[in-house]
Amino acid sequence: MSTTTDNPSAQPESTGPQNPVLETADQQVAAGIPFERFLDCVHCGLCTSACPTYLETGDENNSPRGRIYLMRAVTEGKIALTEKVSGHLDLCLDCRSCETACPSGVQYGRLIEPFRIGMQQQAVKEGKPKGWFEKYILFGMFPYPARLKLALWPMRVLQKTGLDRLVDKSGITRLLPQKLRRMQNLLPKLPPSSPPLPTFLPAIGEKRARVGLFTGCVSEAMFSPTNQATARVLQQNGCDVYIPRTQQCCGAIHYHGGESKPAVELALANIKAFEEQNLDAIIINVAGCGAMLKDYHHLAEETADLSDADREKLVNFAHQVKDISEFLHELGLLPPTGEIPLRVTYHDACHLVHAQQIRQQPRELLAQIPGLKLVPLPESDICCGAAGSYNLTQPEMADRLGERKLQNIRKVNPQAVLAGNAGCSLQLQATLKAAGYTIPVYHPVDLLDASYRGVMPAK
Amino acid sequence: MTSSIPLINALSDIVGKDHLLYDAEELLVYECDGYIVEKKCPDVVVFPISTAEIVEIVKTCNRFEVPFVPRGAGTSLAGGCLPVGGGVMIALTRMREIHEVNLRDGYAVVDPGLVNVHLTREVSGDGFHYAPDPSSQGACTIGGNVATNSGGPHTLKYGVTVNHVTGIEVVLPDGTVANWGGPAGMPPGFDLTGLFVGSEGTFGICTKATVRLTRNPAAYRTMLGIFDDIQTATRAISEIIGAGIVPAALELMDQGIIQAVEAAFKFGFPLDAGAVVLIEVDGLEVSVDDEAARIKELCHQVGVREMRTANSEAERLLLWKCRKQAFGAIGRLSPSFCTQDGVVPRTRLPEILQFIEKTSQKYDIRIVNVFHAGDGNIHPILLFDERDQAQIQRVIEAGDEILNKCIELGGSVTGEHGIGVEKINFMPKLFSENDLTVMQEIREVFNPEGNCSPCKMLPTAGACGMEQIERSHPGRQAAL
């Protein structure tokens, strides 16, 4: 166990509030976190049953209250950052469901995220380098759509020729490292390779807004039709749509993986990409990226060596970002007319419902599609287990949560599942496919687009 | 006390090695519940999945002569889950099945670890709910509700947990399994279910409960009375109850709370109001308008400044949100707070509120009030900074003074949080020596060794080996 905070100068003769002095290496992990953020938690426990990992395990160490207690105890030098402690912190999905449940306004994300960055940096200091997966795949490939598309090319060929099923059957993929095998299992039916969207698409009809479209990296590689649908729906609703080619990954993969410096560099590149067009809003259709883009102002607060001008730009950019459902709801959707006679259910992506508090907007947009029947999904706002790269780094819990989601979907027996986040879509598709349940997963905007065009959504 | 390896091995054989904790770092989060004044780590935490496993765990504890205590979600505000003397904590959080739902006969059979609101969620589509609704209902468990006889905003009309539990299965402290009551309600003989509910774990561990399901009311009317001062507000409350009206809820928030809520959520409350009262009536569509009209009339008679009515379900939810999220706003006022729980006869509310104000001035501790006014259950919230030792001492003294005043006014020191370890010292003030002796004798029938939930509820607990824990810290509690 590490040493305690027996600092004689901090003993209570003076009656003013005392924060712990960070002496040990373990305590230093919390260096970037104002201690007051821990004090926001009054230990009432109302968050516990909002937490997917607590629901699954029943262990308070895997609950938000427990994790805050652990982080605070490490910060105060009461316990060491042992492997078990960091295991409980790593098991957190960062789904922020606890923030929705918390009556005291605890900013849980702003505790766990910087703490995990601290853990990462400490590991590097101690000479524990990142594994091959983080180095080459997670940070080296995912944030770059071009590299990702290239890497997916063999898979596209296999799928096209039908050889993928043969490969699956042959069992040859079992020779792959576990994380790559899981990635292969997660892959959706890849869309045909298509040219990128043009850099400008004009409004149809009366012009109502001027927006930028953030196309994302993983989503652009695997869900480019959804990006195209988003652009068309925006045009239909009277928006000039700008799609700058110089935009980059939002930085979430790095930031959540404990790498804050590259995240800031990507953020500044994105600001540069969008800043010249004088936009009313920057639209994103991926909840995870949207939450990160809206968090740029926290990035501004937490990054020490930034110019005031950059800081201001980060804050301004964050305020411009809107999820597609949020934006269309505010703008006032021009009613789509094409009938889509489907019985569907909607899964709340954590980074929409909890991180961005967007719950009603997508449901109200979907309600305007003629013929569409939206049935409520039990536990719709409990994480599906995707949680960014969590699926690859915490496979056991991801599978348990996937199974939980599957059981809830079975209860309502829909013809399609809807989700506003690429990561959820991958996880849901893979889970449904593994269970032999052949229903499609759509983004709500896919259905809006289909309704505007008077066609059924593509399977 | 260091945990013994044979004990750990024996428990591991029962629940499996993945379902127990014994490392110091992992035990730490179990050192307290929602009451953080007193802390004590258990030696082992076990996570059983069945009644049979609990029986084996209890027998093992007896064999090793170690105390044991059940724990649900750990939302107790009185230290109900504190493992006094260490020993084995039996966490019931993996046992959360709903075994049976019978809507025609209006009951459900559930596991103790089931979260209160998950039961309501399960039956809400059919127009039913589980009536006891503590503000922690999103997290607290049915087993914990049974142990503490939980209340909530709607208990004024619908009653507390004991009115909604018709049968239980319990593991007694010697490992015997007993079944009392059932779906049909009270059988002939002693009402042992009623005796067990509220015994705070001192009679054994509830492992299954048969609970009533209540049909949702056909209609609600939700109103907000805005008063110039808190005395007028409490007079209105007395008038409403005195007129024979039983609202579904009657919740008062004072000026401090109004200002905090308004700053945080912008509900449009007048900042100069002395108090607001949230009033809800429910029942048949034809009756609620009459009741609402009578309540408005009574409020106007005592001099309410303004009455507002929620005109839609959205407005109703907004009003409730402001009541239930009041704590979020308090978190913004001060880094730490301590919620007290006391009861006075309704007619004495003005007196206790004046006393609280005086106490606040005397100790230089800001106190705000939000409470279940209908049954005189007050929740003064003392604001402080837990890093300041001097403030902490003043908060403890001020809290005790308020509770003593509640007793003096003919009330009690807890309306719904329970005695736990927090209020054990008040028991001799509330009860005569004879009363307490009878209670102890009853406990000894079930728990003669005193090793099941030792040192809870009754001041002179038996063989618990309780270490004197210095009360140096008033805790910060949310969730009424």
Side-chain angles (χ1 to χ4, degrees):
Chain A
M1 191 186 266
S2 61
T3 55
T4 56
T5 48
D6 278 341
N7 179 355
S9 65
Q11 287 306 300
E13 308 157 351
S14 87
T15 54
Q18 301 291 333
N19 290 341
V21 179
L22 308 182
E23 287 177 334
T24 68
D26 283 359
Q27 288 177 284
Q28 293 284 342
V29 162
I33 306 173
F35 191 71
E36 277 70 19
R37 273 190 216 154
F38 289 111
L39 298 180
D40 288 342
C41 174
V42 297
H43 211 254
C44 67
L46 296 198
C47 55
T48 49
S49 277
C51 175
T53 60
Y54 177 81
L55 282 177
E56 279 297 314
T57 62
D59 181 350
E60 173 117 6
N61 287 290
N62 295 328
S63 77
R65 177 172 72 171
R67 290 189 179 109
I68 291 172
Y69 213 67
L70 290 175
M71 288 188 281
R72 183 174 168 179
V74 170
T75 308
E76 291 177 326
K78 284 183 186 162
I79 57 171
L81 189 54
T82 63
E83 211 164 292
K84 282 194 174 170
V85 173
S86 54
H88 291 301
L89 299 176
D90 281 335
L91 196 66
C92 170
L93 297 140
D94 198 11
C95 70
R96 320 253 293 262
S97 177
C98 48
E99 291 186 11
T100 302
C102 178
S104 298
V106 173
Q107 303 176 71
Y108 178 82
R110 300 192 70 199
L111 286 167
I112 192 84
E113 287 168 13
F115 200 90
R116 291 208 287 213
I117 288 176
M119 278 163 54
Q120 185 83 31
Q121 285 164 349
Q122 193 198 15
V124 171
K125 261 189 228 156
E126 286 172 2
K128 290 178 211 152
K130 282 191 286 287
W132 62 269
F133 175 74
E134 281 78 6
K135 197 166 171 190
Y136 296 111
I137 310 287
L138 200 54
F139 299 142
M141 188 173 82
F142 277 175
Y144 305 99
R147 290 186 207 171
L148 196 53
K149 273 189 178 166
L150 198 65
L152 287 172
W153 178 80
M155 204 57 213
R156 196 169 267 125
V157 172
L158 286 179
Q159 285 187 353
K160 195 132 198 181
T161 53
L163 284 172
D164 58 325
R165 268 162 297 172
L166 195 66
V167 170
D168 276 350
K169 263 193 207 147
S170 73
I172 198 165
T173 55
R174 264 176 288 161
L175 297 175
L176 289 171
Q178 193 219 21
K179 280 174 181 155
L180 286 187
R181 196 163 16 125
R182 287 185 68 83
M183 277 174 63
Q184 191 247 341
N185 287 338
L186 272 177
L187 272 187
K189 187 162 172 279
L190 293 167
S193 189
S194 57
L197 285 162
T199 54
F200 174 71
L201 290 163
I204 295 170
E206 186 200 342
K207 197 170 134 184
R208 300 163 76 201
R210 202 178 147 87
V211 303
L213 179 60
F214 193 91
T215 50
C217 35
V218 176
S219 63
E220 177 58 17
M222 299 188 195
F223 297 97
S224 52
T226 298
N227 279 341
Q228 292 154 13
T230 307
R232 281 193 295 266
V233 168
L234 285 166
Q235 286 178 282
Q236 281 292 339
N237 279 277
C239 299
D240 276 347
V241 186
Y242 293 85
I243 309 145
R245 294 263 159 83
T246 49
Q247 59 176 298
Q248 308 280 325
C249 166
C250 64
I253 294 179
H254 289 101
Y255 187 63
H256 297 308
E259 296 271 319
S260 63
K261 197 162 173 279
V264 173
E265 284 164 11
L266 290 168
L268 292 172
N270 279 323
I271 289 165
K272 194 150 187 278
F274 283 95
E275 76 187 342
E276 275 166 25
Q277 302 296 346
N278 192 23
L279 301 166
D280 297 317
I282 294 159
I283 309 300
I284 173 75
N285 59 22
V286 181
C289 309
M292 179 68 203
L293 295 172
K294 287 181 179 182
D295 249 359
Y296 275 7
H297 68 291
H298 289 152
L299 215 52
E301 278 173 41
E302 282 158 16
T303 311
D305 47 350
L306 263 186
S307 70
D308 284 349
D310 282 349
R311 221 175 282 276
E312 198 186 324
K313 280 181 187 171
L314 283 166
V315 174
N316 291 342
F317 185 87
H319 291 310
Q320 269 188 303
V321 176
K322 300 268 182 208
D323 182 73
I324 178 72
S325 63
E326 179 187 25
F327 176 76
L328 291 173
H329 192 266
E330 275 174 22
L331 185 70
L333 187 76
L334 299 180
T337 51
E339 191 156 330
I340 300 186
L342 284 180
R343 185 186 144 84
V344 299
T345 197
Y346 176 80
H347 157 75
D348 283 291
C350 300
H351 281 88
L352 262 192
V353 70
H354 302 306
Q356 301 183 55
Q357 296 291 318
I358 295 173
R359 187 184 292 265
Q360 281 313 317
Q361 295 91 323
R363 291 179 167 84
E364 286 174 20
L365 296 178
L366 289 165
Q368 297 186 47
I369 297 177
L372 192 75
K373 186 169 166 38
L374 188 64
V375 287
L377 177 67
E379 293 192 344
S380 67
D381 57 0
I382 292 294
C383 180
C384 63
S389 54
Y390 187 92
N391 190 303
L392 304 172
T393 54
Q394 298 281 347
E396 193 205 327
M397 183 56 71
D399 285 349
R400 283 170 74 170
L401 292 170
E403 179 61 24
R404 191 182 181 101
K405 188 57 70 180
L406 180 69
Q407 292 312 324
N408 280 317
I409 292 172
R410 276 185 197 280
K411 281 182 198 160
V412 292
N413 193 28
Q415 289 169 292
V417 182
L418 310 182
N421 187 37
C424 303
S425 298
L426 287 175
Q427 167 84 345
L428 292 168
Q429 282 176 357
T431 307
L432 290 165
K433 183 180 153 200
Y437 206 33
T438 54
I439 56 169
V441 178
Y442 297 122
H443 191 292
V445 83
D446 292 330
L447 296 196
L448 286 174
D449 176 52
S451 178
Y452 281 122
R453 293 160 64 205
V455 297
M456 282 298 281
K459 273 257 173 183
Chain B
M1 184 169 148
T2 50
S3 39
S4 77
I5 292 178
L7 172 66
I8 291 170
N9 287 340
L11 292 170
S12 178
D13 285 346
I14 300 166
V15 293
K17 66 176 171 47
D18 291 339
H19 297 123
L20 79 168
L21 305 174
Y22 47 83
D23 277 0
E25 292 84 6
E26 291 184 295
L27 293 173
L28 189 70
V29 303
Y30 287 97
E31 69 175 359
C32 61
D33 47 31
Y35 173 70
I36 61 172
V37 181
E38 287 164 46
K39 294 175 180 171
K40 172 75 192 164
C41 275
D43 296 306
V44 190
V45 181
V46 283
F47 298 88
I49 193 71
S50 66
T51 304
E53 284 189 1
I54 294 174
V55 168
E56 289 310 311
I57 292 165
V58 165
K59 285 181 176 169
T60 304
C61 291
N62 287 331
R63 202 166 70 238
F64 283 85
E65 295 181 346
V66 292
F68 52 94
V69 61
R71 188 188 203 256
T75 53
S76 166
L77 292 169
C81 317
L82 189 77
V84 182
V88 176
M89 179 174 276
I90 304 174
L92 299 164
T93 43
R94 286 175 69 226
M95 293 175 65
R96 48 191 164 208
E97 288 280 299
I98 298 173
H99 294 281
E100 186 188 351
V101 171
N102 185 325
L103 295 176
R104 291 177 73 100
D105 289 329
Y107 72 87
V109 181
V110 303
D111 268 351
L114 180 72
V115 171
N116 175 306
V117 85
H118 289 184
L119 177 56
T120 287
R121 200 196 286 164
E122 183 74 15
V123 296
S124 63
D126 296 302
F128 285 82
H129 67 288
Y130 175 63
D133 61 339
S135 290
S136 58
Q137 70 181 137
C140 66
T141 62
I142 299 288
N145 294 168
V146 167
T148 54
N149 194 12
S150 304
H154 287 88
T155 55
L156 176 61
K157 180 167 181 177
Y158 291 96
V160 289
T161 300
V162 73
N163 306 109
H164 297 271
V165 175
T166 59
I168 44 174
E169 175 192 86
V170 300
V171 174
L172 296 175
D174 66 353
T176 309
V177 179
N179 274 285
W180 298 325
M186 211 170 68
F190 297 121
D191 177 13
L192 295 175
T193 304
L195 187 65
F196 188 94
V197 174
S199 61
E200 297 194 15
T202 61
F203 292 176
I205 301 169
C206 170
T207 49
K208 214 169 273 176
T210 305
V211 299
R212 278 186 219 285
L213 298 174
T214 306
R215 198 177 276 281
N216 296 345
Y220 302 95
R221 289 294 178 272
T222 308
M223 292 157 280
L224 188 74
I226 296 165
F227 296 85
D228 287 332
D229 56 76
I230 200 162
Q231 275 70 33
T232 315
T234 52
R235 217 161 49 238
I237 289 159
S238 288
E239 289 296 321
I240 292 166
I241 305 280
I245 302 169
V246 186
L250 204 49
E251 303 281 306
L252 184 143
M253 291 182 276
D254 76 0
Q255 191 171 46
I257 294 281
I258 296 169
Q259 289 177 348
V261 165
E262 190 54 30
F265 303 113
K266 313 269 183 294
F267 283 100
F269 294 148
L271 293 177
D272 61 335
V276 297
V277 182
L278 178 64
I279 311 163
E280 182 162 285
V281 292
D282 65 13
L284 297 172
E285 192 64 55
V286 288
S287 66
V288 286
D289 278 329
D290 280 358
E291 275 198 338
R294 283 180 64 204
I295 286 170
K296 280 183 195 164
E297 197 186 312
L298 290 165
C299 288
H300 281 297
Q301 278 171 17
V302 298
V304 68
R305 182 199 293 183
E306 185 189 344
M307 289 297 290
R308 294 184 189 172
T309 307
N311 290 316
S312 65
E313 183 63 11
E315 280 184 27
R316 171 178 178 253
L317 292 178
L318 202 65
L319 279 175
W320 271 111
K321 186 179 170 195
C322 114
R323 162 63 183 86
K324 293 200 168 172
Q325 300 275 359
F327 287 97
I330 296 162
R332 290 157 215 257
L333 285 184
S334 117
S336 318
F337 62 95
C338 169
T339 306
Q340 269 305 345
D341 174 33
V343 182
V344 293
R346 250 185 333 264
T347 50
R348 313 301 289 269
L349 277 174
E351 270 168 87
I352 192 72
L353 290 170
Q354 270 164 10
F355 183 81
I356 290 169
E357 202 182 318
K358 266 190 226 144
T359 312
S360 164
Q361 285 161 7
K362 178 174 163 190
Y363 288 96
D364 191 22
I365 291 288
R366 188 166 177 211
I367 306 179
V368 293
N369 288 284
V370 48
F371 56 83
H372 314 311
D375 40 18
N377 186 184
I378 58 162
H379 289 305
I381 301 163
L382 294 77
L383 308 179
F384 67 103
D385 189 323
E386 67 175 308
R387 290 163 296 173
D388 183 344
Q389 278 300 325
Q391 278 191 47
I392 290 171
Q393 203 49 42
R394 299 207 302 276
V395 166
I396 292 174
E397 284 168 29
D400 283 0
E401 211 159 287
I402 292 167
L403 291 177
N404 281 326
K405 186 72 177 181
C406 288
I407 297 176
E408 191 192 313
L409 292 175
S412 130
V413 295
T414 171
E416 55 185 8
H417 297 176
I419 296 295
V421 293
E422 183 197 14
K423 292 181 174 162
I424 218 158
N425 295 335
F426 286 95
M427 289 297 271
K429 294 181 189 168
L430 274 174
F431 297 99
S432 74
E433 217 178 304
N434 285 347
D435 294 345
L436 287 173
T437 305
V438 172
M439 286 191 218
Q440 272 157 29
E441 283 169 1
I442 293 172
R443 184 187 59 190
E444 275 160 26
V445 170
F446 298 103
N447 190 12
E449 311 291 333
N451 58 348
C452 181
S453 306
C455 299
K456 300 284 161 58
M457 253 189 129
L458 299 178
T460 52
C464 69
M466 178 181 181
E467 296 137 56
Q468 197 55 45
I469 302 170
E470 185 67 18
R471 201 156 74 117
S472 60
H473 204 281
R476 303 169 303 144
Q477 308 166 347
L480 302 189

